[in-house]
Amino acid sequence: MAPFLDEKRIDNEDACAALDTHGTLRSLAMAGAQVRQALTLSQDAGIERVAGGERPRSVLVASLGGTAVICDVLEMLAEPGSPVPVAIRRNLPLPGWVGPLDLVIAVSQSGRAAGPLALAAEAARRGASLLTVGASDSPLADVCARARGVHINVGNDRDGSRTHLWSMLAPVMLAAGQIGIADVDAAVLADVADRLDEHAEACRPSSESFVNPAKVLAVDLAETVPLVLGDGPLNGVAASRAASMLARTARMPATFGELPDAASQIVACFDGPFTTAFSSSSAGASGVAAGDIFADPYLDGPMPPRLGLLMLRDAVPEDPSPEVAEAEALTEAVVESARETGVKVSQVTAEPGHPLVRLAGQIAVTDFAATYLALGLGLDPAVAPHVADLRSGRR
């Protein structure tokens, strides 16, 4: 049976504040400010000195956990026209080809994450250029200083990497623009900050659930087993982030994919046990198909959870190319197939702008939605007891 989301709680600012002990909503609302502070800190650190002011032979980026999406964002923005290859690593070993002509970017909010720290240390030993982003008083900062690289401080009052993504992503994007592997500069990041502010205003706690896009999405997702699907590379990155936030923040298991590659595996689920397409005879022990309006919960038992599709869509230009039109047709086909089989469909469409600006809006809405979903379910978005047990070694 589907979990119960208390809409009254997410519309009550005091109730949200009492449950949100680490101020997750407040931190998400400050994403625009994070970008602006990161710009200042990057300039103060001399980000123009990255890789000696020259374009490196290659770039390798390492980030984990709440900042793992940074790797994906850089790869996505650099891929179409980067003059140098961009690689991703989460942990050792550092590829054998990394040497003095290459740049390694290591990101860790605490500056102590084992993977990025080990990769940075090995890169420094080989004489590669270093850009590190994290706490100023950390082993990662020390490694960077000894290698005469550029270290960007993430600033103060950082509770968790999931809610302070932009303080670490912005310096990496600025550096990518500086060395010419992505079309990003300070002006683009200023637009990112403005877009994040717009969504923070629309998704604020005082905005009631029937007009707040993040609360509407949270209510929809609470009733489902969510599949998150992006309509292309940009929203593929957003889908990965959304699935991570749903799992880590709202404790809702979610899978994600990107069109066109993931179309078959997503659509195949429409024939599964969480849709009306699944016959009653094989709907499980209760014999009740998901979404069966004639089911009697007293006689037939509780209904199984319903499959949900969260479709993340890009802004479509006024005069789309044949490739864009084909991708849009595939997206519509998947959505229509979902609706025909009783899948609950939710859609978030990006507003026009630079790719990083569009991505920022998609991430903002789904980040807020995952947080409201946690609060509506009675969960503290930042406190997961089993995760704490793992970190303390009790399990």
Side-chain angles (χ1 to χ4, degrees):
M1 75 185 275
F4 171 71
L5 182 141
D6 188 347
E7 290 188 53
K8 291 183 179 179
R9 182 187 292 120
I10 61 175
D11 276 339
N12 186 318
E13 290 186 69
D14 292 335
C16 284
L19 189 55
D20 186 11
T21 60
H22 286 64
T24 301
L25 286 173
R26 182 182 66 250
S27 296
L28 292 177
M30 294 177 64
Q34 292 173 26
V35 173
R36 297 183 184 95
Q37 183 186 42
L39 280 170
T40 300
L41 292 171
S42 298
Q43 291 160 356
D44 291 347
I47 200 165
E48 69 280 355
R49 296 187 293 106
V50 169
E54 303 290 335
R55 180 181 295 159
R57 178 181 62 181
S58 68
V59 177
L60 183 142
V61 58
S63 60
L64 294 170
T67 60
V69 72
I70 291 174
C71 294
D72 302 326
V73 175
L74 180 57
E75 185 180 46
M76 182 269 296
L77 289 179
E79 188 178 72
S82 174
V84 302
V86 176
I88 293 174
R89 285 293 185 278
R90 308 295 186 189
N91 211 328
L92 289 174
L94 186 68
W97 48 261
V98 174
L101 299 179
D102 305 301
L103 170 66
V104 171
I105 301 173
V107 182
S108 168
Q109 182 190 30
S110 67
R112 291 174 169 79
L117 179 58
L119 287 165
E122 177 60 16
R125 189 187 70 79
R126 297 188 196 176
S129 298
L130 272 184
L131 168 65
T132 58
V133 182
S136 58
D137 54 345
S138 67
L140 186 63
D142 292 341
V143 166
C144 189
R146 289 196 299 270
R148 297 185 178 181
V150 176
H151 179 78
I152 311 297
N153 180 23
V154 295
N156 301 320
D157 302 325
R158 300 306 186 213
D159 296 321
S161 56
R162 281 177 292 132
T163 55
H164 293 87
L165 168 67
W166 291 98
S167 64
M168 291 170 281
L169 178 55
V172 174
M173 292 299 102
L174 192 60
Q178 193 76 37
I179 60 178
I181 66 170
D183 181 22
V184 179
D185 57 16
V188 169
L189 287 169
D191 290 341
V192 167
D194 290 342
R195 179 66 57 86
L196 291 169
D197 285 347
E198 291 170 9
H199 284 288
E201 173 66 18
C203 300
R204 67 191 185 279
S206 61
S207 175
E208 294 183 323
S209 57
F210 59 89
V211 294
N212 185 317
K215 291 182 181 180
V216 170
L217 184 55
V219 171
D220 287 346
L221 292 174
E223 302 173 353
T224 71
V225 177
L227 301 173
V228 189
L229 187 60
D231 67 353
L234 185 146
N235 278 304
V237 173
S240 171
R241 167 72 177 187
S244 175
M245 287 293 286
L246 285 170
R248 185 64 178 83
T249 302
R251 282 63 134 186
M252 292 284 285
T255 187
F256 69 93
E258 172 191 320
L259 292 178
D261 292 348
S264 295
Q265 72 183 45
I266 295 296
V267 172
C269 295
F270 300 165
D271 298 316
F274 302 117
T275 67
T276 55
F278 197 67
S279 65
S280 298
S281 62
S282 55
S286 68
V288 183
D292 184 357
I293 61 173
F294 299 107
D296 186 327
Y298 295 100
L299 298 177
D300 301 319
M303 292 176 58
R306 182 182 180 186
L307 193 67
L309 174 66
L310 172 54
M311 190 75 231
L312 302 181
R313 307 182 68 156
D314 207 354
V316 178
E318 293 182 2
D319 186 19
S321 66
E323 293 78 15
V324 171
E326 183 179 355
E328 183 68 8
L330 176 59
T331 301
E332 286 293 342
V334 171
V335 170
E336 183 61 25
S337 180
R339 287 176 172 149
E340 287 175 354
T341 54
V343 173
K344 188 174 183 65
V345 177
S346 303
Q347 301 190 72
V348 179
T349 302
E351 298 169 13
H354 183 280
L356 188 60
V357 177
R358 303 201 306 271
L359 179 65
Q362 300 293 78
I363 288 177
V365 173
T366 52
D367 278 3
F368 272 107
T371 304
Y372 283 124
L373 179 53
L375 294 169
L377 295 174
L379 300 169
D380 187 330
V383 178
H386 284 86
V387 173
D389 286 347
L390 284 176
R391 289 178 174 173
S392 66
R394 282 180 282 173
R395 291 183 185 274

